[in-house]
Amino acid sequence: MANNFFGITDIGKQRDNNEDTFIAQKADDGNFIIACVIDGVGGYVGGEVAADIARDCILQQLSYIAGDIVPLLVNTITIANQRIYDRKLEAKQLENMACVLTLAVIDIQNNLFYYAHVGDTRLYLLRDNSLIKISKDHSFVGFLEDSGRLSEEAAMDHPKRNEINKALGFNPQIAHDPDFVETGQSPFLPGDTLLVCSDGLTDMVDKNLIKAILTSSGSIQDKGEKLIDAANSKGGKDNVTVVLVQNDKAPRKYSATRPAATTAKVTDEIIDPLAQPKLPDGPLTVPVKQKSNRGTMVVLFILLALALTGFLWQFWLNYQLTQTPVKVVAVPPVKVNNAEQIRLQDTINKLKGRTLILSDADFKQPIILSDTLHISQDSLYIKAKGNIIFKRDSTYAGPGISLAATSKYIVLDSVAFEGFKVAIATRNDALVLKHVVFNNCMVPVQTSYIFPDKKYISGRLFGGLFKIDTLSKTTK
């Protein structure tokens, strides 16, 4: 898929600044598209600041995406909310700032999308020339419209259209409200289009015109620009932001085929696989020439004599050793890294990019670790091509892989660990696992948290982002 996502924002016709921002890009692993529209509220300066804080937080938290995605999105929005609230406490002029947003993550390979939503930005799905509103407006007028009590035309002209009841930055305790963030997931089929937009579009342009533009000819960039132009031609009362994602995969077509006729020969004979093979016709016995036993007796006598001689020799040696004191010197074990481990550590240390592909054609399997593999990069994506297995050397008791305290996003994809007491030692929340297998590891992941000395600490550890993959991967 190429050229299948696009984002654009415009100040509109009546505003002096743009409090909207957006994200339209792939995550660092290349497997997901992030589509997000953020609408800032709270004045000339505050809205822009809140929107930028949320955008930076989303890009940081979703740099690599793995595991159960919906909780990951909720956690990301929770962190963004806290950062906006903390910034408000630092600056008096920002005390009214907040933002609303709609965040979608599209799984390109598996034709799925996931979303999280707060406020009155919107998410639409276009499928088979039908435009479906996925998200719900978190406002009183939006509730009336979504429940059918108010028509779209009446809602667009309602004087309280822009009064929202949910936003990021108002309440630091949204983690305790499971219904604060609206979430969901849905198939994203070939031919589908996702539209994420701010209310600057939907306050000006009705659903029928939006659908007409999205189903018209042209690229998604053309369609995004046409949506902006449509809002501005209606008055452009607010900032207008649009993000489009298109599944441009070719639809799969299947044709019915007649089963091929079998060419195997069918007989009524029952074959016993344990039966003795059939012998050719001939005499039932074969005459065998008898040999004399004299040679056998001679050989046995010689072997017995040799065994007795060896026993007497060993007895004499043991006697001599008991008469001579032997000084035993303890030799400390020498830890020797094998060539494969040295080469892998050197590859990690000298890597210039942020992605490392490990191929089982390049490394002998399994990779025996007699010391810890150290990862010191800020961000790193390690992906296996084939079966990559890290196996503990029988004399080694330390962790297989250790992440530096400065690491922020380290992804391990499709690797296996075998026999470690601690497979991975990490700090803070830097580690992301994707299709990782732990075989006979006492502690698969050991996490330590680093806090400043002599400071009061509050908060909780966020769990539940790891899951057992339903599609198992067999590692040999």
Side-chain angles (χ1 to χ4, degrees):
M1 299 175 72
N3 300 320
N4 61 323
F5 56 90
F6 175 74
I8 185 173
T9 186
D10 188 85
I11 196 173
K13 296 296 185 181
Q14 300 183 22
R15 294 291 183 95
D16 295 329
N17 68 311
N18 193 346
E19 295 180 298
D20 286 1
T21 188
F22 69 89
I23 302 171
Q25 66 184 61
K26 287 187 177 181
D28 287 354
D29 61 5
N31 294 326
F32 297 87
I33 295 174
I34 304 173
C36 182
V37 168
I38 309 168
D39 186 352
V41 296
Y44 188 83
V45 177
E48 291 182 13
V49 175
D52 286 341
I53 292 174
R55 185 180 188 276
D56 292 343
C57 181
I58 290 169
L59 289 176
Q60 183 187 67
Q61 297 297 317
L62 300 185
S63 176
Y64 297 109
I65 301 173
D68 201 351
I69 295 178
V70 169
L72 177 61
L73 300 184
V74 173
N75 187 49
T76 297
I77 290 178
T78 302
I79 294 173
N81 176 78
Q82 187 64 51
R83 290 183 181 178
I84 294 171
Y85 188 83
D86 291 344
R87 182 65 184 279
K88 289 170 62 172
L89 299 179
E90 297 173 357
K92 181 69 174 178
Q93 68 273 21
L94 302 177
E95 62 181 3
N96 294 321
M97 76 173 180
C99 70
V100 295
L101 62 83
T102 301
L103 169 63
V105 168
I106 297 91
D107 186 340
I108 303 171
Q109 296 178 346
N110 298 309
N111 296 326
L112 291 169
F113 74 85
Y114 308 82
Y115 73 92
H117 164 75
V118 176
D120 59 354
T121 48
R122 289 186 177 183
L123 173 65
Y124 288 91
L125 172 65
L126 178 69
R127 175 178 296 167
D128 298 330
N129 293 320
S130 296
L131 187 62
I132 305 166
K133 183 170 177 282
I134 303 296
S135 61
K136 293 180 172 59
D137 293 348
H138 297 158
S139 65
F140 178 68
V141 174
F143 168 74
L144 294 178
E145 182 182 353
D146 290 335
S147 61
R149 295 176 174 87
L150 202 63
S151 67
E152 181 184 24
E153 292 77 12
M156 292 172 69
D157 294 331
H158 200 283
K160 296 186 177 181
R161 169 79 177 184
N162 300 116
E163 293 184 7
I164 55 176
N165 51 37
K166 285 185 181 181
L168 300 190
F170 286 161
N171 180 7
Q173 304 297 324
I174 68 170
H176 302 296
D177 183 358
D179 298 323
F180 186 87
V181 181
E182 178 189 339
T183 61
Q185 68 181 74
S186 176
F188 186 54
L189 305 180
D192 287 355
T193 299
L194 281 179
L195 165 65
V196 189
C197 61
S198 64
D199 62 341
L201 174 70
T202 53
D203 282 354
M204 297 287 102
V205 185
D206 63 32
K207 185 176 178 180
N208 290 332
L209 182 53
I210 293 175
K211 184 181 76 171
I213 293 174
L214 293 181
T215 54
S216 64
S217 60
S219 66
I220 60 171
Q221 179 174 344
D222 295 334
K223 296 173 182 179
E225 292 171 349
K226 288 179 181 179
L227 290 171
I228 298 293
D229 292 340
N232 286 331
S233 67
K234 299 279 187 177
K237 296 180 180 179
D238 198 355
N239 310 140
V240 191
T241 305
V242 167
V243 173
L244 292 171
V245 183
Q246 197 173 63
N247 189 334
D248 56 2
K249 292 181 181 178
R252 296 183 179 181
K253 297 181 179 179
Y254 301 93
S255 58
T257 57
R258 183 184 299 275
T262 179
T263 58
K265 182 180 178 181
V266 180
T267 67
D268 294 330
E269 180 182 3
I270 300 176
I271 300 176
D272 183 1
L274 300 179
Q276 295 295 327
K278 186 177 181 181
L279 298 175
D281 296 336
L284 296 179
T285 59
V286 179
V288 180
K289 183 178 179 180
Q290 300 293 326
K291 295 184 178 181
S292 171
N293 292 329
R294 180 177 298 176
T296 302
M297 296 299 294
V298 172
V299 172
L300 290 176
F301 180 81
I302 293 173
L303 292 175
L304 181 61
L306 290 174
L308 180 61
T309 302
F311 173 78
L312 293 175
W313 174 254
Q314 186 64 42
F315 179 82
W316 182 82
L317 287 177
N318 291 339
Y319 176 78
Q320 293 296 322
L321 290 174
T322 58
Q323 302 303 312
T324 304
V326 179
K327 184 178 181 180
V328 179
V329 179
V331 180
V334 179
K335 183 165 56 178
V336 180
N337 294 345
N338 59 72
E340 293 293 280
Q341 178 175 347
I342 295 174
R343 185 159 66 95
L344 178 55
Q345 183 68 73
D346 189 60
T347 300
I348 294 174
N349 294 341
K350 295 181 179 179
L351 186 69
K352 294 183 178 180
R354 295 201 295 174
T355 301
L356 174 61
I357 304 297
L358 296 181
S359 173
D360 56 6
D362 298 329
F363 290 91
K364 182 180 178 181
Q365 294 302 306
I367 300 175
I368 305 297
L369 299 184
S370 53
D371 196 0
T372 304
L373 278 176
H374 295 279
I375 297 177
S376 58
Q377 285 89 337
D378 176 271
S379 301
L380 180 61
Y381 187 92
I382 299 178
K383 180 175 178 60
K385 184 178 180 182
N387 285 331
I388 295 293
I389 304 174
F390 298 110
K391 186 174 181 179
R392 181 183 70 91
D393 184 270
S394 59
T395 61
Y396 178 57
I401 291 180
S402 177
L403 276 56
T406 55
S407 296
K408 295 181 180 178
Y409 297 100
I410 306 298
V411 180
L412 300 179
D413 188 346
S414 304
V415 299
F417 294 84
E418 184 174 329
F420 290 92
K421 293 183 178 179
V422 176
I424 306 172
T426 180
R427 294 168 176 82
N428 300 325
D429 295 320
L431 180 64
V432 177
L433 300 181
K434 186 174 182 181
H435 305 312
V436 175
V437 177
F438 297 96
N439 297 325
N440 299 321
C441 295
M442 293 178 61
V443 179
V445 177
Q446 186 180 75
T447 304
S448 58
Y449 288 85
I450 300 175
F451 299 116
D453 189 33
K454 298 180 180 179
K455 298 290 184 180
Y456 293 103
I457 305 298
S458 300
R460 73 183 182 93
L461 303 184
F462 185 85
L465 293 184
F466 292 102
K467 68 174 184 177
I468 305 300
D469 293 328
T470 55
L471 180 62
S472 62
K473 297 175 71 67
T474 302
T475 305
K476 296 181 180 179

